[in-house]
């Protein structure tokens, strides 16, 4: 049952049907939905030293030599990444290309970034309006539910985000009822076989 939840390893496609009779999958799904749907998650509230843009770029540039990197604290790295969209344009330019801030201005000339520099639309979005950290935290629960069950193992394209917790509990009850009926039938058959 644990193996076909989709968390341990990739399950072959021909075992896809087994995920629907995994009672652990439906029970875990109900718990996940109850915990994370429409919930604000303060992911970085207790993180004292999130990484700067410069440190994150340094890690990305040196992934081929991880041992030379400073202490890789996942909390600091993730919170540094989450903080990037909340920074102003000048802070991002100062950490990446300090000379660019003088060229594109403050606030940045989005038209210039788009036409002359051919910037990606995501860079333009970051440069245009910084996000509010509360908006990010308000959407983390939905993001977490979008990933479970893990990846696209077996036929897991339908994530828990597609269900309501009551649907998961109903599937769980249906599985228990079906197993109870099958157990009852096999018990009756085995008793008849023993009596022969």
């Amino acid at each position: 049952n644990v193996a076909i939840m989709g968390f341990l390893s990739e399950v072959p496609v021909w075992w896809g049907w087994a995920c629907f009779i995994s009672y652990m999958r439906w029970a875990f799904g109900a718990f996940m939905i109850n915990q994370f749907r429409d919930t604000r998650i303060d992911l970085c509230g207790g993180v004292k030293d999130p990484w700067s843009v410069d440190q994150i770029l340094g890690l990305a540039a040196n992934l081929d030599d991880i041992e030379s990197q400073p202490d890789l604290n996942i909390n600091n790295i993730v919170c540094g990444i989450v903080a990037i969209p909340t920074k102003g344009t000048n802070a991002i330019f100062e950490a990446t290309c300090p000379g660019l801030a003088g060229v594109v201005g403050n606030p940045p000339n989005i038209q210039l970034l788009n036409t002359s520099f051919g910037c990606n639309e995501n860079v333009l979005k970051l440069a245009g309006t910084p996000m509010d950290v509360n908006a990010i935290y308000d959407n983390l629960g939905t993001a977490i539910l979008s990933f479970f069950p893990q990846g696209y193992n077996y036929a897991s394209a339908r994530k828990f985000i597609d269900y309501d917790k009551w649907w998961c509990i109903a599937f769980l009850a249906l599985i228990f009822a079906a197993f109870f009926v099958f157990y009852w039938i096999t018990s009756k058959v085995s008793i008849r076989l023993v009596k022969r």
Side-chain angles (χ1 to χ4, degrees):
N1 237 301
V2 174
I4 57 179
M5 282 177 72
F7 294 102
L8 297 180
S9 62
E10 188 166 335
V11 177
V13 175
W14 58 87
W15 274 98
W17 59 270
C19 72
F20 297 108
I21 62 166
S22 171
Y23 57 86
M24 292 185 80
R25 178 181 194 253
W26 296 111
F28 185 72
F31 287 135
M32 290 282 292
I33 291 166
N34 189 55
Q35 182 68 34
F36 294 115
R37 175 150 302 154
D38 301 327
T39 301
R40 183 181 192 279
I41 300 172
D42 187 1
L43 184 68
C44 301
V47 178
K48 296 188 180 3
D49 190 24
W51 277 22
S52 65
V53 175
D54 189 45
Q55 287 173 305
I56 293 167
L57 289 174
L59 175 65
N62 294 298
L63 283 175
D64 58 348
D65 187 20
I66 287 290
E67 292 161 358
S68 69
Q69 294 301 303
D71 181 31
L72 297 178
N73 181 321
I74 193 69
N75 292 332
N76 294 342
I77 296 170
V78 169
C79 290
I81 292 170
V82 167
I84 289 174
T86 66
K87 298 182 181 304
T89 311
N90 273 353
I92 294 174
F93 283 159
E94 285 300 321
T96 56
C97 307
L100 196 57
V103 176
V104 296
N106 181 25
N109 182 337
I110 301 297
Q111 184 70 24
L112 179 66
L113 284 172
N114 189 12
T115 55
S116 298
F117 294 104
C119 290
N120 178 309
E121 76 177 62
N122 291 321
V123 171
L124 297 175
K125 185 177 177 184
L126 280 174
T129 311
M131 292 180 201
D132 179 32
V133 73
N134 291 321
I136 295 171
Y137 289 163
D138 289 343
N139 285 303
L140 280 179
T142 303
I144 289 169
L145 287 175
S146 308
F147 290 111
F148 288 100
Q150 174 192 357
Y152 289 95
N153 300 339
Y154 49 92
S156 69
R158 289 202 68 180
K159 304 297 181 188
F160 288 146
I161 193 78
D162 297 332
Y163 298 103
D164 180 88
K165 70 179 170 186
W166 299 112
W167 273 106
C168 290
I169 291 171
F171 279 118
L172 188 60
L174 184 65
I175 291 168
F176 276 131
F179 274 98
F180 178 77
V181 169
F182 287 132
Y183 179 74
W184 181 75
I185 291 170
T186 55
S187 296
K188 287 289 198 185
V189 169
S190 65
I191 289 169
R192 282 188 187 155
L193 290 174
V194 169
K195 285 183 178 179
R196 285 181 156 187

